[in-house]
C-alpha cells in the first residue's frame, strides 16, 4: 500500500470511525425527455441515429433555470454520465457555456482535489463559475469574473463517491485511488463527447487546483497515451494544455517547501523549524514520532486558529467546513490538534445548504436515484480509504512538455497548505531552460498582480496575496491569468513609458 495509506492508519484513528460509514447503494439513472437540438444547422431527416440519441440525452440534461438564479444569456447542462455500467458507476457534471460565442470558444474541464472534494462546491460555486451563493442559500448572484467569459466550463465531480457522483458497488470506494480516478475520468470524457458532439475537435484544456495537481496531469497522460478501449477513439479530444493551481506535484518538494514557508512567514519558531528539519525526512516512507510531535506542536501552539488556505484573510467561525475535515489533513498529515468583491470565508457552508435543497437537485438533474446521504463538499470516506497516490507527478509534466502541450502552473502566494515555495522547489527540479526570467506582472490598473517566470515548455505565475483557491480570493487577477493561459501569451508586463 502506498505511503498515504500507511500514514492514514496512524493519523486518522481519532476521526476515521465516522469516516468509514460507506455510502448507500443507489439504483440506476433516470431517463428524461428530449428537447430541441442546439446549434442545429441540419434537417431532422438527415440526422443519424447517433445524432438523435445525442440530441435526446443532451436536451434531457439542459437546465431551465436554477432556483434563485438571475437571468443569463448562456446555456447550462448537467446530469450523469455512466463510466462503468456493470458496477453502476456514474459521474456528475455541470456544463456552463460561454457568455458569448460559445460555439467558437474552447472547452475547459475543471477538477478540484482532496482527494474526495467536489468541483461543484469549490470551482463552480465559489471560484470561477458564473453564480455565487448568497448567505441565505436561496439566491444566486452573478460572478463578474467568471471564467465562462472566456471559455465553456465543464465541472466534474470525480471520482464516484464525490458530491452527486455515485457507484452501485460499494466496494468501489475501498479501491479508489489516482489510477482508477484517471481511467474513470477518461471514460467520462469519451461518453460525454458522444453526448455533446458539437464539442468534438474543439480546443480542450484541463485545469484544476490542489490535489488536482495529480488528477490533471494523470488524466492528460491517459488521453495522450492510452486509448481506453479499441471501440472508442480519442482522436476527437483535442487536448491543447493543462493549467494547475496551488498544485500538489511532488511530496518531498511540497513538504519541505511548506515548512520553509511556515518559518519564513513567521508562523513557527526557529527552534521548531530546526527540530522539524532535523527529524522529518520527507523522502522516507515513515515519519518518526519526533517528527509527528513537532508538527503537532507547531499546529497546536504556534500557528494558531487561522485558515491555512488563506493566511491573511478571516477564518470562518460559523460552523465547520468540509475542507477542514479532509483537505487540511492531507498536507504533511498533521496529527489532530485543534479586494474585489468582499471575501466571505464561510461561502462553502452556503453551498452545503444550497445543493442539498430538493428543488436545486431537481433543477440540476442530480440525485435522480434518491441517494439517502447528504451532498457534501468533500467525502471523508474517500479520503480515508484512498489507495494509490504516487509521490510525484513531475515525470508526467516532463512528458506533456515534450509532447508540446501548453503547461502552466500558478500559485497564490498566501497559501500555507500547498505553498508557493514547494511549487518552486518542484519546478526547479525539472531543470528547464529559462526563457523569460522572473518578472512582475500587472493588472489593468497597473497594480502588481504577481510574478512570473517562463521556461521552455512551462510557465509559472504567482498571484500576489491570494491563498489556495485563487479564483475565490483574487477574482480579477485569476481571470487575467486565465485569459493569458488560453491565448498562450505572457501575463501582462508593465507598459513602458
Amino acid at each position: 500500500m502506498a505511503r498515504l495509506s500507511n500514514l492514514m492508519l496512524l493519523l486518522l484513528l481519532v476521526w476515521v470511525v465516522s469516516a468509514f460509514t460507506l455510502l448507500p447503494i443507489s439504483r440506476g439513472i433516470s431517463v428524461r425527455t428530449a428537447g430541441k437540438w442546439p446549434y442545429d444547422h441540419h434537417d431532422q431527416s438527415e440526422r443519424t441515429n447517433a445524432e438523435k440519441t445525442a440530441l435526446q440525452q443532451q436536451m434531457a440534461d439542459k437546465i431551465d433555470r436554477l432556483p434563485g438564479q438571475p437571468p443569463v444569456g448562456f446555456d447550462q447542462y448537467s446530469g450523469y454520465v455512466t463510466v462503468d455500467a456493470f458496477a453502476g458507476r456514474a459521474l456528475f457534471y455541470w456544463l456552463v457555456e460561454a457568455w458569448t460565442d460559445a460555439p467558437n470558444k474552447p472547452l475547459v474541464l475543471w477538477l478540484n482535489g482532496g482527494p474526495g472534494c467536489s468541483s461543484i462546491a469549490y470551482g463552480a460555486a465559489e471560484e470561477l463559475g458564473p453564480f455565487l451563493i448568497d448567505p441565505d442559500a436561496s439566491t444566486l448572484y452573478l460572478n463578474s469574473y467568471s471564467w465562462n467569459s472566456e471559455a465553456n466550463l465543464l465541472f466534474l465531480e470525480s471520482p464516484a463517491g464525490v458530491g452527486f457522483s455515485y457507484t452501485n458497488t460499494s466496494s468501489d470506494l475501498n479501491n479508489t485511488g489516482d489510477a482508477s480516478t484517471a481511467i474513470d475520468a477518461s471514460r467520462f470524457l469519451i461518453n460525454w463527447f458522444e453526448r455533446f458532439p458539437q464539442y468534438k475537435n474543439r480546443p480542450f484544456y484541463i485545469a484544476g487546483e490542489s490535489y488536482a495537481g495529480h488528477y490533471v496531469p494523470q488524466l492528460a497522460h491517459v488521453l495522450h497515451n492510452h486509448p481506453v478501449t479499441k471501440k472508442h477513439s480519442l482522436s476527437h479530444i483535442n487536448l491543447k494544455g493543462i493549467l494547475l493551481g496551488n498544485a500538489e506535484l511532488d511530496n518531498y518538494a511540497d513538504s519541505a517547501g511548506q515548512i520553509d514557508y511556515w518559518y519564513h512567514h513567521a508562523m513557527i519558531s526557529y527552534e521548531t523549524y530546526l527540530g522539524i528539519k532535523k527529524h522529518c525526512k520527507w523522502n522516507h516512507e515513515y515519519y518518526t514520532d519526533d517528527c509527528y510531535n513537532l508538527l503537532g506542536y507547531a499546529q497546536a501552539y504556534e500557528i494558531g486558529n487561522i485558515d491555512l488556505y488563506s493566511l491573511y484573510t478571516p477564518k470562518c467561525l460559523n460552523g465547520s467546513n468540509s475542507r477542514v475535515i479532509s483537505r487540511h489533513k492531507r498536507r504533511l498529515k498533521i496529527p489532530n490538534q485543534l479586494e474585489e468583491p468582499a471575501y466571505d470565508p464561510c461561502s462553502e457552508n452556503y453551498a452545503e445548504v444550497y445543493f442539498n435543497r430538493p428543488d436545486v437537485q431537481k433543477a440540476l438533474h442530480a440525485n435522480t436515484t434518491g441517494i439517502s446521504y447528504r451532498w457534501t463538499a468533500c467525502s471523508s470516506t474517500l479520503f480515508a480509504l484512498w489507495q494509490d497516490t504516487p509521490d510525484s507527478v513531475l515525470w508526467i509534466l516532463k512528458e506533456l512538455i515534450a509532447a508540446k502541450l501548453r503547461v502552466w502552473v500558478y500559485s497564490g502566494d498566501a497559501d500555507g497548505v500547498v505553498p508557493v515555495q514547494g511549487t518552486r522547489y518542484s519546478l526547479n527540479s525539472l531543470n528547464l531552460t529559462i526563457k523569460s526570467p522572473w518578472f512582475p506582472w500587472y493588472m489593468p490598473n497597473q497594480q502588481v498582480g504577481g510574478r512570473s517566470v517562463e521556461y521552455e515548455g512551462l510557465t509559472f505565475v504567482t498571484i500576489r496575496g491570494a491563498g489556495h483557491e485563487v479564483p475565490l480570493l483574487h477574482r480579477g487577477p485569476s481571470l487575467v491569468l486565465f485569459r493569458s493561459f488560453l491565448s498562450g501569451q505572457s501575463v501582462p508586463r508593465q507598459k513602458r513609458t
Side-chain angles (χ1 to χ4, degrees):
M1 194 173 289
R3 181 191 312 184
L4 174 66
S5 299
N6 287 328
L7 290 174
M8 289 297 175
L9 296 176
L10 296 173
L11 296 173
L12 304 177
L13 290 177
V14 175
W15 64 282
V16 77
V17 174
S18 61
F20 268 75
T21 302
L22 292 182
L23 303 179
I25 297 175
S26 56
R27 300 181 181 276
I29 302 175
S30 65
V31 178
R32 296 177 293 276
T33 57
K36 187 178 179 182
W37 181 251
Y39 315 135
D40 187 14
H41 302 294
H42 303 284
D43 185 80
Q44 173 80 26
S45 62
E46 297 176 354
R47 295 183 190 143
T48 65
N49 289 333
E51 287 174 329
K52 291 178 182 179
T53 300
L55 158 64
Q56 293 172 342
Q57 293 176 327
Q58 184 176 145
M59 294 313 300
D61 287 354
K62 188 170 185 179
I63 298 172
D64 293 328
R65 189 168 180 170
L66 296 173
Q69 175 198 306
V72 294
F74 55 83
D75 288 333
Q76 308 174 71
Y77 302 83
S78 62
Y80 288 97
V81 172
T82 299
V83 295
D84 189 323
F86 180 78
R89 209 159 58 244
L91 302 185
F92 184 80
Y93 80 92
W94 183 3
L95 170 67
V96 177
E97 294 197 316
W99 269 97
T100 60
D101 200 23
N104 294 309
K105 286 186 175 174
L107 175 68
V108 176
L109 172 67
W110 176 267
L111 300 171
N112 279 89
C117 292
S118 165
S119 300
I120 303 297
Y122 297 106
E126 280 192 355
E127 301 183 77
L128 52 124
F131 307 119
L132 304 174
I133 305 172
D134 269 332
D136 62 8
S138 64
T139 306
L140 305 179
Y141 62 98
L142 292 177
N143 176 8
S144 300
Y145 299 92
S146 173
W147 288 10
N148 79 319
S149 64
E150 308 300 318
N152 302 283
L153 303 179
L154 178 59
F155 300 97
L156 176 64
E157 292 192 308
S158 174
V162 174
F164 294 121
S165 296
Y166 70 87
T167 177
N168 282 335
T169 305
S170 57
S171 61
D172 283 347
L173 304 178
N174 297 309
N175 301 308
T176 300
D178 282 22
S180 62
T181 297
I183 293 299
D184 273 5
S186 65
R187 289 171 175 165
F188 164 84
L189 287 173
I190 289 172
N191 294 333
W192 188 88
F193 276 104
E194 292 304 314
R195 188 175 302 183
F196 289 85
Q198 67 266 33
Y199 282 97
K200 289 183 176 182
N201 301 308
R202 190 89 60 95
F204 175 59
Y205 300 90
I206 311 173
E209 70 188 12
S210 194
Y211 196 75
H214 282 218
Y215 294 163
V216 172
Q218 289 164 346
L219 175 57
H221 170 77
V222 171
L223 296 179
H224 188 257
N225 292 283
H226 303 294
V228 178
T229 68
K230 294 180 180 179
K231 179 180 178 182
H232 295 286
S233 170
L234 301 183
S235 61
H236 60 269
I237 301 180
N238 186 18
L239 180 63
K240 293 293 188 180
I242 64 172
L243 176 65
L244 304 172
N246 288 77
E248 295 188 41
L249 299 173
D250 180 88
N251 186 63
Y252 179 86
D254 289 339
S255 298
Q258 184 174 41
I259 296 305
D260 288 347
Y261 183 91
W262 285 1
Y263 173 67
H264 291 294
H265 284 73
M267 297 168 65
I268 60 176
S269 68
Y270 182 60
E271 293 73 21
T272 299
Y273 174 66
L274 290 181
I276 292 174
K277 296 280 280 187
K278 177 180 178 180
H279 294 290
C280 296
K281 307 301 181 184
W282 311 122
N283 56 347
H284 289 189
E285 186 172 359
Y286 299 102
Y287 299 163
T288 65
D289 288 342
D290 287 337
C291 175
Y292 282 128
N293 291 337
L294 284 162
L295 292 173
Y297 180 86
Q299 178 72 5
Y301 298 107
E302 294 187 342
I303 293 175
N305 186 28
I306 64 171
D307 184 356
L308 274 176
Y309 289 90
S310 181
L311 297 184
Y312 305 115
T313 56
K315 179 182 176 68
C316 179
L317 301 177
N318 181 21
S320 62
N321 288 12
S322 294
R323 71 178 183 185
V324 174
I325 297 172
S326 179
R327 294 194 295 172
H328 184 160
K329 292 174 183 262
R330 173 160 185 77
R331 298 301 322 133
L332 290 183
K333 297 83 179 177
I334 294 173
N336 287 314
Q337 310 281 351
L338 344 148
E339 10 186 47
E340 296 145 353
Y343 167 63
D344 186 343
C346 300
S347 56
E348 179 186 317
N349 295 341
Y350 315 149
E352 294 263 2
V353 176
Y354 185 78
F355 290 112
N356 276 294
R357 288 173 46 181
D359 58 338
V360 172
Q361 294 182 2
K362 181 178 180 181
L364 282 170
H365 319 126
N367 196 15
T368 55
T369 60
I371 301 171
S372 60
Y373 56 86
R374 285 177 56 82
W375 178 93
T376 57
C378 292
S379 168
S380 57
T381 300
L382 277 175
F383 180 78
L385 296 173
W386 200 260
Q387 293 298 300
D388 58 291
T389 179
D391 286 339
S392 180
V393 295
L394 293 177
W395 68 273
I396 304 180
L397 294 190
K398 289 182 178 179
E399 174 189 272
L400 300 178
I401 291 169
K404 305 301 183 183
L405 293 178
R406 187 175 304 159
V407 178
W408 279 40
V409 179
Y410 67 88
S411 286
D413 63 12
D415 177 14
V417 178
V418 189
V420 61
Q421 193 62 42
T423 301
R424 295 178 78 176
Y425 291 164
S426 290
L427 299 184
N428 287 343
S429 73
L430 294 174
N431 296 315
L432 300 173
T433 300
I434 294 177
K435 185 171 61 175
S436 295
W438 195 259
F439 65 91
W441 64 274
Y442 290 82
M443 294 293 293
N445 62 3
Q446 292 302 297
Q447 295 295 320
V448 172
R451 285 92 188 172
S452 181
V453 58
E454 296 175 349
Y455 302 94
E456 292 291 345
L458 185 147
T459 295
F460 177 55
V461 181
T462 73
I463 297 83
R464 184 167 68 103
H468 192 68
E469 297 174 74
V470 170
L472 166 65
L473 291 145
H474 280 344
R475 300 191 188 280
S478 80
L479 184 57
V480 172
L481 163 75
F482 185 58
R483 285 173 179 157
S484 299
F485 167 71
L486 291 179
S487 70
Q489 303 297 315
S490 301
V491 284
R493 299 172 185 259
Q494 188 176 32
K495 295 180 180 178
R496 300 186 181 274
T497 57

